[in-house]
């Protein structure tokens, strides 16, 4: 999940623009009359001058993480742009982002009321909706505790420390077999296509108590839906920024609604099956646990925050949706970097060979013994910054930051990409160098350096799946690097340029892999 917006001006028609022009004049006049006064001692936000209707979209362009990083050089860590008719405050710089999201966390914990957000999970999304603070907090707590209890449950056999480890090890081993088979049949494979099914199976196991075959059409359709979702929201919905367009025919919006509809139907079908087979004495997965919570809550007369059953059960949409796209993207990028840096791939393999051996599958308990793999993962998050922005935030009251006044209900973008490539924070930020995260003897990860990488947001809205995600990326990578060696197809150069979207992905491509021979020991 990430920046949902930033419209491409090309998708607005002439008639839409004319109507919007009239509207903009009216709104401009109204805004002038009611403009909030800047309190004494505070300054007005700096930023580029906006054009009527379109604001600064031309300067922002289709790589906003780069253009907004460049603007920061001119306007500083807190500045304002206008997207369409909506003012947006852009935050950069590690200390400024920490100040806003941690020290002034409550002021910046809201979500903007964007038209398109109303279609995600039928407007009941935990991550995207404008739930009032008490409701959002109660749902977030519930989601967090469901995730925690269903990932730390005991595995089906004592060989696994927990069910999360069991799911990842089994799916990782299955992925290796699958890639080996595809290599034998086709001679190459599309990494994302296979990784996404393996990762989806881990979160499906926890949320729905089921897994899908790598050729299951229902799941593959859903994965494609998520790919389209990413593309549509990445290019933006003009109606989010020029409100009048909400009432006019809008092809982008139509596609967006249909994509969300297909996703919701997939989850809804599984949830209905759970309702009809629900047994209070046999809670099978997160969906059951949420249904059970609705039942228990009805008995709890002291509960002071009212959250509807629908809003409780729909938490599973967020967990499932957020749980596979992000982790698959991280892993798919990791494989691309392995191929781009063969000497790093070899070092990772040697570390696994020495510290874990080649006869047993790696486990979560191996994490402290594999510092180079940990450093590699941190550098993937930093260098790719595949979630260049957090989900947009919104101010919950009139506030100030670094001496600038920011009114209530202002949309706020957090530029994670800028922090991860800030030359004041990182030596030679554009080079891919996992060693930057290792102690001088190479035996330990430098945790303080690691904490500066922004991938999961910070503070009140920080990702609730972070621990699971980090464990998944670690263990999947350990399993596949131990068993396989990845290469580019000779004569086909690797394209590492990210495609802007909800999560930034590499262009779909084909790679090769060979099994590591066990006799190499
Ligand atoms: C590498 C993997 C992942 C990355 C990089 C990531 C990153 C993020 C980011 C940047 C946010 C927004 C933070 C903000 O608005 O300030 C977020 C929110 C969220 N993430 Fe993740 N995430 C990942 C995996 C997961 C997983 C596995 C789950 C669940 C199983 C998950 C569930 C959520 C939820 C529910 C929210 C919304 C929290 C809220 O609005 O209160 N994420 N994530």
């Amino acid at each position: 999940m990430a920046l949902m917006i930033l419209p491409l001006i090309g998708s607005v028609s002439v008639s839409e623009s004319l109507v919007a022009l009239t509207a903009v004049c009216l709104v401009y006049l109204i805004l002038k009359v009611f403009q909030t006064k800047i309190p004494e001692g505070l300054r007005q936000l700096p930023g580029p001058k906006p054009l009527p209707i379109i604001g600064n979209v031309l300067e922002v362009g289709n790589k906003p993480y780069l253009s907004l990083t460049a603007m920061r050089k001119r306007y500083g860590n807190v500045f304002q742009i206008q997207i369409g008719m909506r003012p947006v405050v852009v935050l950069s710089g590690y200390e400024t982002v920490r100040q806003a999201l941690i020290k002034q966390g409550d002021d910046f914990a809201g979500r903007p009321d964007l038209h398109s957000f109303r279609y995600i999970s039928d407007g009941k999304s935990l991550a995207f909706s404008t739930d009032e603070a008490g409701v959002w907090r109660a749902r977030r707590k519930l989601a967090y505790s469901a995730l925690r209890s269903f990932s730390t449950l005991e595995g089906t056999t004592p060989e696994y420390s927990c069910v999360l480890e069991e799911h990842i090890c089994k799916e990782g081993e299955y992925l290796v077999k699958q890639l080996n088979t595809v290599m034998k049949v086709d001679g190459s494979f599309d990494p994302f296509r296979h990784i996404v099914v393996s990762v989806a199976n881990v979160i499906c196991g926890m949320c729905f108590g089921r897994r899908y075959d790598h050729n299951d059409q229902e799941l593959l359709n859903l994965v494609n839906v998520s790919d389209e979702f990413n593309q549509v929201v990445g290019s933006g919905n003009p109606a989010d920024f020029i409100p009048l367009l909400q009432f006019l025919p809008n092809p982008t919006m139509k596609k967006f609604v249909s994509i969300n509809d297909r996703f919701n139907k997939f989850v809804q079908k599984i949830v209905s099956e759970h309702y009809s087979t629900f047994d209070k004495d046999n809670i099978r997965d997160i969906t059951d646990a949420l249904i059970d919570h609705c039942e228990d809550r009805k008995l709890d007369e002291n509960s002071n925050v009212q959250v509807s059953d629908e809003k409780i059960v729909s938490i599973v949409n967020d967990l499932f949706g957020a749980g596979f796209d992000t982790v698959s993207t991280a892993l798919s990028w990791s494989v691309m970097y392995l191929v781009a840096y063969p000497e790093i791939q070899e070092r990772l393999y040697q570390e696994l060979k020495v510290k874990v051996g080649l006869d047993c599958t790696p486990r979560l308990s191996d994490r402290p013994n594999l510092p180079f793999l940990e450093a590699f993962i941190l550098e993937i998050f930093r260098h790719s910054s595949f979630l260049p922005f957090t989900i947009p935030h919104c101010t919950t009251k009139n506030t100030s930051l670094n001496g600038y006044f920011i009114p209530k209900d202002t949309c706020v973008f957090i530029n994670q990409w800028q922090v991860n490539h800030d030359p004041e924070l990182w030596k030679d930020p554009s080079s891919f160098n996992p060693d930057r995260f290792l102690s001088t003897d190479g035996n330990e990860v430098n945790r303080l350096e690691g904490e500066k990488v922004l991938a999961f947001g910070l503070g009140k809205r920080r990702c609730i799946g972070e621990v699971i995600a980090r464990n998944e990326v670690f263990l999947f990578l350990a399993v596949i690097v131990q068993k396989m060696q990845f290469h580019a197809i000779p004569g086909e150069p690797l394209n590492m340029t990210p495609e802007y979207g909800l999560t930034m992905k590499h262009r779909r491509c084909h790679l090769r892999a060979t099994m590591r021979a066990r006799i190499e020991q």
Side-chain angles (χ1 to χ4, degrees):
M1 295 184 288
L3 192 72
M4 293 283 299
I5 26 191
L6 301 171
L8 286 183
I9 199 65
S11 42
V12 185
S13 74
V14 176
S15 61
E16 287 168 352
S17 306
L18 282 174
V19 183
L21 181 63
T22 322
V24 83
C25 297
L26 278 172
V27 172
Y28 180 77
L29 289 173
I30 295 167
L31 284 181
K32 273 275 163 223
V33 176
F34 291 104
Q35 207 170 33
T36 320
K37 280 236 158 23
I38 295 177
E40 232 181 84
L42 293 178
R43 286 168 293 165
Q44 189 176 3
L45 288 156
K49 281 244 168 319
L51 289 172
I53 305 177
I54 61 171
N56 302 108
V57 285
L58 297 179
E59 291 120 295
V60 172
N62 59 7
K63 288 201 170 91
Y65 56 104
L66 296 182
S67 56
L68 297 180
T69 297
M71 279 187 206
R72 179 248 185 182
K73 285 198 189 124
R74 184 149 177 219
Y75 301 109
N77 285 332
V78 188
F79 63 91
Q80 178 171 297
I81 53 169
Q82 200 167 299
I83 303 189
M85 293 160 67
R86 192 183 274 266
V88 173
V89 168
V90 183
L91 303 187
S92 317
Y94 184 61
E95 287 308 329
T96 297
V97 171
R98 278 182 67 86
Q99 175 69 34
L101 300 188
I102 298 179
K103 297 187 187 140
Q104 293 172 233
D106 284 324
D107 299 4
F108 288 89
R111 293 285 187 224
D113 184 10
L114 296 185
H115 182 63
S116 56
F117 283 9
R118 295 176 205 164
Y119 296 94
I120 304 175
S121 273
D122 273 336
K124 294 182 204 75
S125 161
L126 160 69
F128 293 94
S129 74
T130 53
D131 276 338
E132 54 113 332
V135 172
W136 159 69
R137 232 176 269 125
R139 295 178 81 205
R140 183 175 159 101
K141 210 169 137 196
L142 198 57
Y144 185 74
S145 93
L147 265 186
R148 226 175 65 159
S149 25
F150 279 87
S151 54
T152 54
L153 274 183
E154 274 183 17
T156 52
T157 64
E159 108 183 70
Y160 300 106
S161 66
C162 63
V163 76
L164 177 69
E165 182 176 81
E166 178 169 359
H167 283 311
I168 307 171
C169 284
K170 287 184 174 168
E171 292 301 332
E173 285 168 357
Y174 193 79
L175 176 64
V176 169
K177 280 193 200 139
Q178 178 72 14
L179 293 182
N180 195 29
T181 310
V182 177
M183 274 304 298
K184 282 186 187 146
V185 177
D186 300 334
S188 69
F189 62 88
D190 166 0
F192 190 79
R193 149 78 178 75
H194 298 281
I195 287 171
V196 76
V197 178
S198 305
V199 173
N201 273 335
V202 172
I203 192 73
C204 273
M206 287 190 292
C207 287
F208 308 131
R210 63 184 289 186
R211 73 178 297 277
Y212 292 83
D213 185 78
H214 273 245
N215 295 314
D216 185 287
Q217 210 45 53
E218 202 186 357
L219 188 71
L220 288 176
N221 286 345
L222 188 78
V223 167
N224 290 334
V225 165
S226 131
D227 237 13
E228 285 174 52
F229 178 91
N230 194 38
Q231 285 159 14
V232 173
V233 296
S235 63
N237 287 319
D240 284 334
F241 298 93
I242 304 176
L244 213 80
L245 298 184
Q246 292 167 22
F247 308 104
L248 296 176
N250 178 340
T252 316
M253 204 62 215
K254 217 168 143 190
K255 192 166 178 197
F256 187 69
V257 173
S258 134
I259 290 167
N260 279 286
D261 213 39
R262 275 148 69 196
F263 185 85
N264 294 344
K265 281 199 176 115
F266 177 90
V267 180
Q268 202 47 55
K269 189 171 149 222
I270 303 177
V271 170
S272 305
E273 285 162 12
H274 274 68
Y275 266 111
S276 56
T277 53
F278 179 74
D279 172 4
K280 202 174 171 36
D281 298 323
N282 177 25
I283 301 299
R284 298 160 292 185
D285 46 40
I286 291 181
T287 309
D288 270 356
L290 294 171
I291 295 174
D292 190 43
H293 181 84
C294 297
E295 306 282 314
D296 282 353
R297 192 181 43 118
K298 282 175 193 139
L299 307 174
D300 177 12
E301 284 159 11
N302 297 325
S303 149
N304 50 6
V305 179
Q306 287 306 312
V307 188
S308 69
D309 285 5
E310 264 191 294
K311 279 208 171 184
I312 289 175
V313 179
S314 69
I315 286 174
V316 79
N317 288 42
D318 280 85
L319 298 182
F320 178 55
F324 75 87
D325 186 63
T326 46
V327 176
S328 326
T329 307
L331 282 167
S332 198
W333 272 115
S334 304
V335 172
M336 295 292 280
Y337 279 93
L338 290 175
V339 171
Y341 297 90
E343 66 295 349
I344 291 182
Q345 183 171 185
E346 192 52 31
R347 261 178 84 183
L348 289 166
Y349 173 66
Q350 290 302 330
E351 185 182 63
L352 277 154
K353 190 170 153 184
V354 173
K355 304 278 181 56
V356 179
L358 299 178
D359 292 325
C360 52
T361 304
R363 292 285 189 260
L364 290 174
S365 55
D366 291 315
R367 269 184 82 171
N369 306 322
L370 298 170
F372 190 57
L373 178 53
E374 285 286 337
F376 174 72
I377 294 169
L378 284 169
E379 185 66 342
I380 296 279
F381 281 129
R382 187 197 70 81
H383 194 264
S384 74
S385 289
F386 66 89
L387 268 156
F389 298 91
T390 67
I391 300 171
H393 284 238
C394 178
T395 46
T396 53
K397 60 177 196 184
N398 284 348
T399 185
S400 68
L401 188 63
N402 294 6
Y404 295 108
F405 174 65
I406 308 177
K408 183 175 187 282
D409 294 330
T410 305
C411 180
V412 179
F413 289 174
I414 313 290
N415 192 348
Q416 300 200 116
W417 194 96
Q418 185 282 325
V419 173
N420 293 338
H421 290 82
D422 190 340
E424 287 162 30
L425 221 54
W426 310 101
K427 189 170 165 244
D428 199 4
S430 58
S431 71
F432 184 78
N433 175 19
D435 284 310
R436 68 172 83 241
F437 293 107
L438 288 182
S439 57
T440 22
D441 62 7
N443 292 331
E444 266 174 65
V445 173
N446 183 337
R447 295 277 155 212
L448 283 180
E449 283 295 290
E451 275 167 26
K452 292 190 312 200
V453 178
L454 285 195
F456 297 90
L458 288 174
K460 308 263 172 201
R461 285 278 181 175
R462 190 174 184 140
C463 173
I464 58 167
E466 178 173 351
V467 173
I468 291 178
R470 287 190 192 272
N471 280 334
E472 277 194 73
V473 175
F474 166 82
L475 202 47
F476 264 116
L477 264 181
V479 172
I480 61 175
V481 172
Q482 185 201 44
K483 306 253 176 351
M484 304 195 99
Q485 188 171 16
F486 296 91
H487 332 261
I489 299 178
E492 285 189 20
L494 270 192
N495 184 349
M496 301 286 282
T497 312
E499 296 187 330
Y500 185 70
L502 190 64
T503 46
M504 294 206 291
K505 301 206 164 41
H506 58 83
R507 183 167 286 224
R508 294 287 274 268
C509 65
H510 275 246
L511 299 174
R512 289 189 176 154
T514 41
M515 294 298 284
R516 296 268 190 186
R518 282 177 178 244
I519 33 169
E520 255 189 66
Q521 301 171 54

